[in-house]
Amino acid sequence: MSATTLATQKIPVVPRMRSLLGSMLLAANPIPILNSYLDTYGDTLIMYIGGVRPTLLTRDPGLVQHILQKNHRNYPKSEFSHGIARYLGHGLLTSEGSYWLQQRRLIQPGFHRQRVAGLVGVMQAEINECLKPLERQLEQAGGAVEVAVHRLMTNTAFRIIARSTFSTNVDNAELERMSALLTAIQAFYVRTIRQPYLRPWLSLRNQFRAHDKLASELRGMVRGYVRQRQQIGDAHDDLLQMLLDVRYEDTGEPMTEDQVVDEALILLVAGHETSANALSWMWYLLAQHPQVVATMRASMAQVLGSRAATFADLPNLGYSLQIVQETMRLYPPAWILDRVAQEDDSYNGISLPKGTLISAYLLGVHHAPSLWEDAEVFRPERFAPELVKNQPPYAYVPFGGGPRLCIGNQFALTEMQLVLLEMLRRFEVGWIEQPPVQLQPLITLRPRQEIQLRFRARS
Ligand code: HEM
C-alpha cells in the first residue's frame, strides 16, 4: 500500500514532518504522541511509523470490532506480529490462516474453565513460594518493608505460567534464565520495529545474530523439557501434557515435537508479561485507593473469614474481578494490536484499501472520554455486572476479540484474582510518595520505573 493511496482517503493525516519528529519521541514512549494525534485529528487517523510506513491508528470501538470480529477474515496480523516468529516460532500467537485455525481448535479445550480450575493448585503453590521471601523479610523487620512490586509480580507471574506449563521440571535458576531471555528478545524486537532506520547498524553490530542465538538457547531449554517429559513418560496435569496429549481430529496424530515446542514457548511469552504488568499496575492503583481495598476486604471477610480463597469462591468475590478489570482498562497489557487489510474494504465511509496497516489502539479505546465517564479515574464499580451490559461493544477489549480472543483469558483472570486475594489476606499495602510511574510500552505495557510500595503483615 502506498502512502498516497491511503492518504487520499477522507481520514485526517498527521503531516509527515510531524510524524517524523514524533517518531524520535515515539521510540522512547509512543503513548503521549499517539494521544496527542488522536486529540488533534479525531478517533481515526493516518500516521507514519518511523516517519515512513503509513498506518491507520484508531480508537473507534466500531472499527476495532470490524477488524477483529465482523470482518476478521480480511484482517490477518501484520508483519510486525509475524516478525517475532523468527525468534519465537509459529505458535498460536504468531501463526495465521488454516494452520492457526487447526491449532486453535486443537488447543482451545485445554483452556476451558474446568482445565483452568485444575491448575489452581499450582497457581496457589507458586503464589505461596513467591511470597515467602517477603514474609521472611517482614518477620525480620518486624514492621513494614518496601517492596519492588514489578519485580515481585514479574517473578510471580512467570513462575505461575512456567509451572502451569512444565510442572516441576524446571528449577529456579532455569526459570530466571528463561525469563531473562524472553525479556531480551522482546526488547530487541520492539527496537527493530520502532526504529527501523537502526537496522543496518544493528546488523553491522551482529545484533540480529546475537538475538537469534538467545532465541535458540530458549528453544533449546523448552525442547529439553518436552523430551524429558516424553522420555520419563510420567503424566502431569499441566499445559505441556495437554499439548502432548491432544490429537488432530482428522488424522488422530499428535503434534510434532517442533509444534509442541512452538506452542509451549508461545504460552510462556503470551502468559508472562501480560499478567505481570496487570498485577503491578493493580498494586500501584490499590495503594492509592484505600477505599477500594476496604471494599474488597469487607467482601473477603464475609465470604472467606480468614481462610485463603479457592477457585469455587471466586464467583462470590466479584469485586476482585472488577478490580482486575478496571486495572486492565486503565493499563491494558496488550495496549495496541496490528492488522493488515487483505482486500479492499470499507467501514463507516472510511475506505480501507488492500494493504492498509491498522493499529487498534486498545489503550486509546479504554481511555476515550466519549466511552467512559471520568475516564482517568480508577473505579472498579463501573464493572458491576448490572453496568457492564451498558458498555458499548468493543469499548473494553483487554483480551482482544473475535476468533483470536486471548485463549488464556480465564487462566489470567483466575491467577490475577488469586494473587490479589492472597496478598490482601496476608498484607496491608501502603503508598510511598513517588513521582508518577511512567509507561513503558514495549510489546506489553510495562511500568518504566520500579513501583515501590510498603507492605506490612496483617495481624
Ligand atoms: C492479563 C493477561 C493477558 C492479557 C491482557 C492478554 C491479552 C491478549 C490479547 C489482546 C490477545 C489477542 C492478540 C491479537 O488479537 O492480536 C491475546 C492472545 C493470546 N493469548 Fe493472551 N493475554 C493475557 C494472558 C494470557 C495467558 C495467561 C496466556 C496463556 C496461558 C495467554 C495466551 C495467549 C495466546 C496463546 C494468544 C493467541 C491466541 C490466538 O491467536 O489464537 N494470554 N492475549
Side-chain angles (χ1 to χ4, degrees), residues 237-306:
D237 198 7
D238 59 16
L239 296 172
L240 174 58
Q241 199 63 47
M242 177 272 286
L243 296 175
L244 290 168
D245 289 348
V246 286
R247 296 290 179 267
Y248 291 109
E249 225 174 63
D250 49 348
T251 62
E253 289 294 313
M255 281 191 257
T256 63
E257 183 180 285
D258 274 333
Q259 287 176 308
V260 174
V261 170
D262 278 350
E263 297 298 355
L265 190 49
I266 281 299
L267 294 183
L268 285 186
V269 173
H272 164 212
E273 270 195 32
T274 42
S275 302
N277 292 334
L279 284 166
S280 306
W281 292 117
M282 179 185 79
W283 290 115
Y284 180 65
L285 290 164
L286 287 178
Q288 296 174 77
H289 293 86
Q291 78 290 355
V292 172
V293 174
T295 307
M296 187 69 250
R297 283 201 194 289
S299 161
M300 289 167 71
Q302 208 178 27
V303 176
L304 302 172
S306 58

Side-chain angles (χ1 to χ4, degrees), residues 68 77 81 91-95 100 104 107-108 111 161 165 239 263 266-276 278-279 324 328 332-339 362 397-401 403-409 411-413 415-416:
L68 294 186
K77 296 184 181 187
S81 282
L92 270 187
L93 197 65
T94 49
S95 56
W100 164 78
R104 176 89 190 199
I107 297 171
Q108 178 103 21
F111 283 90
I161 185 66
T165 310
L239 296 172
E263 297 298 355
I266 281 299
L267 294 183
L268 285 186
V269 173
H272 164 212
E273 270 195 32
T274 42
S275 302
L279 284 166
V324 168
M328 290 197 295
W335 60 282
I336 198 161
L337 303 180
D338 61 286
R339 296 293 193 266
L362 306 191
V397 274
F399 294 112
R404 301 205 69 150
L405 179 78
C406 174
I407 206 171
N409 64 352
F411 181 106
L413 291 173
E415 103 181 279
M416 291 190 283

Side-chain angles (χ1 to χ4, degrees), residues 73-143:
R73 280 198 185 81
N74 194 42
Y75 294 96
K77 296 184 181 187
S78 80
E79 75 267 18
F80 294 140
S81 282
H82 292 148
I84 202 163
R86 164 175 179 161
Y87 306 102
L88 301 176
H90 294 275
L92 270 187
L93 197 65
T94 49
S95 56
E96 210 57 72
S98 57
Y99 181 72
W100 164 78
L101 185 60
Q102 162 196 296
Q103 294 300 99
R104 176 89 190 199
R105 287 201 179 127
L106 193 66
I107 297 171
Q108 178 103 21
F111 283 90
H112 281 168
R113 206 170 170 274
Q114 272 327 99
R115 293 299 292 256
V116 172
L119 293 170
V120 162
V122 177
M123 293 183 188
Q124 282 169 324
E126 287 312 311
I127 295 169
N128 278 334
E129 235 6 76
C130 293
L131 295 182
K132 270 186 191 160
L134 176 54
E135 300 235 289
R136 272 199 296 275
Q137 253 184 306
L138 282 168
E139 263 169 35
Q140 282 159 12

Side-chain angles (χ1 to χ4, degrees), residues 292 295 319 322 326 378-387:
V292 172
T295 307
Y319 197 64
Q322 290 174 225
E326 175 68 341
F378 176 61
R379 192 184 291 150
E381 283 67 20
R382 60 174 107 234
F383 283 93
E386 66 279 10
L387 296 181

